[in-house]
Amino acid sequence: MNRTPSPDLQGIISDRDIFIAVVSNIFGVMTLTVPRLIAESTLSSDGWMSVFLGGLIASLCGWIVAKIASSFPNQTFLSYASYLLSKPVAVVMTLIFSIQYIVVTAYNVREIAVLSHQYLFDYTPQEVVSLAFLLVVIYAVCGSQAAIFRLNVLFFPILISGLLIVILLPIGIIQWEGLLPFFQTDFKGYVQSTYYSIVNMLGFGIVLFYIGLVQKPQKTAKLTAIGVMVTMMFNVAIYIVCIGVFGNATIQNMFFPTFDLSRSAEIPGGFFERFDAFLFLFWTIIFFTTAMMAFDIAVMTIRMVFRKFKKINLVLILSPIIFLISMLPETYLDIVYFNKLLGHFMFSYFVIVTLMLGIAFKIKGGKSSG
């Protein structure tokens, strides 16, 4: 096996870019739905503790994953996984990741269509919205990976500003008594809600694949952990505000509690009558960045195994497959079930991969293959 750095990996991004990408990727579709999943397992406002604990666990896992990956600078996932686990195992593992990120892209494409159909374009077929969104994602993925990270950096101030607006504007209508009493949830409820919180933050897994693009990955592990912590703090704030505005029982019956929270936000003085339309643009950007990186990783992992594939050809082959997968669920309940299955698979597979890489890395004394 060739253990030299890949010539395609030129160190085109910095640690800061990885930090921004991790934060942007974690704030994906599940940010809209995870308050409902957590509220279903907890009572009162106890779910914030699960979000906090899940964030701590995810932050530790992110640090471990980034620490392993950063020990193999300028190498692909397939390269260092082959060194740690053997080539056949690494190939299978890489292809499974390809399938996973294809499905993640399809899920993002369908969810933006459902969201827009429910709140804005109620007469527009979901297929039309999905196709239009997918075409924009395809255009972004066909460019360079450096451009993808530049888009993340460009959108990052909008991301943070939008989240602050969603959290701060509804504070005036919070029913603070709805947050009490504390510690009403049983142990099983805490475990289940913490699990959903961890699944919501698995976006840091992109570090496994983008580490080869980092110029000097010495600080990548630390910044990955900080990125997860930042998203955890935002998620805690979002959950508390959701509970305070709607109440635990109401959130359990909402498809997109976080988006409904953004709709409840009003600019003082009535300057904008449809302020939720502007926030819809903000959520569209979040969907776009998540789908863009997932699609890019799907293409990247397949090309690791099949080196002769040209990027543009592979994008054109995968695009109709992604669109067809996105259209498979017939009702929104099917999408909810699909989301849960995807979350269970991503969590289980990520635990398996992390344990296998971690144990092999420890056995080999933490030495890279270079």
Side-chain angles (χ1 to χ4, degrees), residues 345-361:
F345 174 79
M346 289 179 63
F347 178 83
S348 302
Y349 185 57
F350 186 80
V351 169
I352 293 172
V353 170
T354 304
L355 287 176
M356 291 177 67
L357 291 177
I359 293 173
F361 186 73

Side-chain angles (χ1 to χ4, degrees), residues 254-321:
M254 290 179 167
F255 285 141
F256 301 108
T258 308
F259 187 76
D260 286 318
L261 178 65
S262 65
R263 295 181 73 212
S264 69
E266 296 182 359
I267 297 294
F271 186 71
F272 289 117
E273 292 185 0
R274 289 298 307 273
F275 185 62
D276 58 310
F278 290 90
L279 288 175
F280 180 82
L281 175 62
F282 154 70
W283 288 112
T284 302
I285 291 174
I286 290 181
F287 278 61
F288 172 71
T289 54
T290 306
M292 175 180 63
M293 284 188 282
F295 198 173
D296 183 62
I297 292 175
V299 172
M300 184 197 314
T301 48
I302 292 176
R303 293 185 70 215
M304 289 177 190
V305 179
F306 305 103
R307 294 177 176 269
K308 293 184 179 181
F309 258 121
K310 291 184 178 180
K311 183 176 181 179
I312 184 64
N313 293 338
L314 190 54
V315 170
L316 294 177
I317 292 172
L318 293 180
S319 296
I321 297 174

Side-chain angles (χ1 to χ4, degrees), residues 204-257:
F204 62 80
I206 63 172
V207 175
L208 284 170
F209 310 98
Y210 285 132
I211 195 69
L213 304 177
V214 181
Q215 294 173 346
K216 298 178 181 179
Q218 290 85 353
K219 297 182 180 179
T220 302
K222 177 182 177 181
L223 289 177
T224 299
I226 293 174
V228 178
M229 294 293 288
V230 168
T231 57
M232 178 265 287
M233 297 306 297
F234 273 105
N235 280 322
V236 168
I238 289 172
Y239 185 80
I240 291 175
V241 175
C242 279
I243 292 293
V245 172
F246 301 119
N248 185 283
T250 303
I251 288 180
Q252 295 180 35
N253 297 296
M254 290 179 167
F255 285 141
F256 301 108

Side-chain angles (χ1 to χ4, degrees), residues 330-350:
E330 296 182 0
T331 66
Y332 189 73
L333 291 179
D334 293 336
I335 299 175
V336 171
Y337 182 68
F338 179 78
N339 179 29
K340 288 187 176 181
L341 285 180
L342 179 60
H344 294 330
F345 174 79
M346 289 179 63
F347 178 83
S348 302
Y349 185 57
F350 186 80

